[in-house]
Amino acid sequence: MKAVQIMSFGTADVLRINDVDRPAPGAGEVRVAVEASSVNGHDVIVRAGELKMVSGRRFPIGVGLDFAGTVAAIGAGVEGYRAGDRVWGTVHPRQRHSVAGAAEYVVVPADRLAHAPADLSSAEAAALVVTGSTALIALRDSVRLASGERVLVRGAAGGVGTAAVQLAHAMGGHVTAMARDRHAEILTDLGADEVLDYRSTTSERIGPFDVIVDTAGTELHCYRSRLAKGGRMVTVGLSASALAAIAASSVHGSRRIRTFSANPGTPVLRDVADQVTSGALRPVIDSVYPLADIAAAHEAFERGGVVGKHVVTVPRSSL
């Protein structure tokens, strides 16, 4: 089968589409025929060598945190799935994989899967696996958004941002989206009550907010100051400066900056599917690339300025 692998750390040109053995599911595992994956920040920083403690330095390293497709084979002890079932899921972000979601087949534990929403194509499903899970955990579990609260979403046009705008709106929040002016129409359509251009809006001129969801990982101390009394802030845009701001906030005040590593298992994936079925959440796709062009998808992700996700489709044995 074909699988995208990192052969050395570096820019997108280190990605290779290699012929590898098709993996067999062990006890408690499922083999999925992958139809689509997406490009996530995790994939890019692993490729760049910024997560060596997780990925290790032994090559090749698999690419693709998430996937959507159909069940191809089931290991001993797995219940609830049959061959041909449409599923979505993730590989474990803190484990090393020689084959991951950007491949014709992937094997994962059954507790990292759920049935995909029936009304979504595999490309649409792949666009929501990580983004929908991250946004749901951030709003529901980390900051516990309540109806009527004022919410700021920074980086609102990205994958997690577009999901957060939708879910915050569905949860009854008054949503302010921060992005580029040209993205105002689609963000309003997704549920934003107000859209601010991040290039011309300074933190001192906005707020206060009950909740801030940050995907940028910059100027966190400035935006933290815009929290109302009892306000909560969560960031999923981690960097050295972000980690410093998170640490400082836990020492110097009750309005600490929260963060987490999204690692969705079956329960969260089911909850995201329920949000899709209810109409509260829909995928937003910026562009779709065939697996053969995954390097171009990584380059587009790194350029930024997108609305939603870059999705990679996996045609069967066509490379």
Side-chain angles (χ1 to χ4, degrees):
M1 72 170 198
K2 304 290 186 182
V4 179
Q5 296 178 312
I6 300 166
M7 306 309 294
S8 62
F9 294 126
T11 57
D13 59 4
V14 303
L15 299 175
R16 296 288 182 272
I17 301 174
N18 293 329
D19 290 306
V20 302
D21 292 335
R22 185 179 301 181
E29 295 181 328
V30 177
R31 182 169 70 205
V32 177
V34 179
E35 295 173 357
S37 182
S38 78
V39 182
N40 294 283
H42 177 274
D43 305 313
V44 172
I45 61 177
V46 166
R47 190 209 72 216
E50 297 176 18
L51 281 180
K52 295 186 181 75
M53 291 186 66
V54 174
S55 66
R57 300 169 183 266
R58 181 165 54 90
F59 300 99
I61 299 170
V63 177
L65 182 59
D66 54 31
F67 57 86
T70 59
V71 173
I74 299 169
V78 174
E79 299 180 352
Y81 296 103
R82 297 181 299 176
D85 283 355
R86 295 188 64 252
V87 293
W88 61 0
T90 65
V91 300
H92 199 297
R94 294 190 291 274
Q95 294 178 358
R96 184 190 182 280
H97 304 276
S98 60
V99 173
E104 290 189 304
Y105 294 90
V106 66
V107 167
V108 295
D111 62 6
R112 302 203 64 79
L113 286 177
H115 289 95
D119 292 339
L120 297 185
S121 68
S122 289
E124 292 171 328
L128 277 179
V129 176
V130 169
T131 58
S133 298
T134 302
L136 183 63
I137 293 169
L139 289 162
R140 183 190 66 184
D141 303 332
S142 184
V143 298
R144 298 185 180 182
L145 175 66
S147 180
E149 289 192 309
R150 297 156 294 178
V151 187
L152 173 68
V153 180
R154 290 189 71 210
V160 175
T162 52
V165 167
Q166 294 177 74
L167 291 176
H169 172 74
M171 295 167 72
H174 182 279
V175 184
T176 299
M178 184 167 277
R180 296 176 186 242
D181 265 350
R182 70 171 185 262
H183 299 148
E185 183 176 354
I186 187 169
L187 290 170
T188 300
D189 183 58
L190 293 175
D193 298 285
E194 182 180 14
V195 180
L196 303 177
D197 189 332
Y198 77 91
R199 296 168 298 181
S200 58
T201 304
T202 61
S203 59
E204 294 83 3
R205 297 171 56 190
I206 61 174
F209 298 99
D210 301 299
V211 165
I212 297 176
V213 178
D214 170 82
T215 72
T218 59
E219 300 181 276
L220 298 186
H221 64 288
C222 296
Y223 284 92
R224 175 175 172 264
S225 70
R226 309 317 299 160
L227 287 171
K229 184 178 180 180
R232 293 91 67 204
M233 180 174 179
V234 60
T235 182
V236 298
L238 294 185
S239 63
S241 63
L243 292 173
I246 291 165
S249 76
S250 66
V251 173
H252 296 297
S254 60
R255 291 175 293 181
R256 66 182 178 88
I257 302 170
R258 299 159 170 84
T259 191
F260 61 91
S261 175
N263 183 20
T266 299
V268 171
L269 292 168
R270 286 174 175 166
D271 291 344
V272 175
D274 289 343
Q275 296 292 331
V276 174
T277 301
S278 72
L281 182 63
R282 68 179 192 261
V284 180
I285 297 176
D286 185 273
S287 52
V288 178
Y289 297 80
L291 191 66
D293 292 338
I294 191 169
H298 272 232
E299 290 168 348
F301 178 93
E302 292 176 289
R303 285 194 298 271
V306 304
V307 180
K309 292 288 288 182
H310 296 297
V311 173
V312 176
T313 56
V314 186
R316 203 81 305 113
S317 301
S318 61
L319 298 173

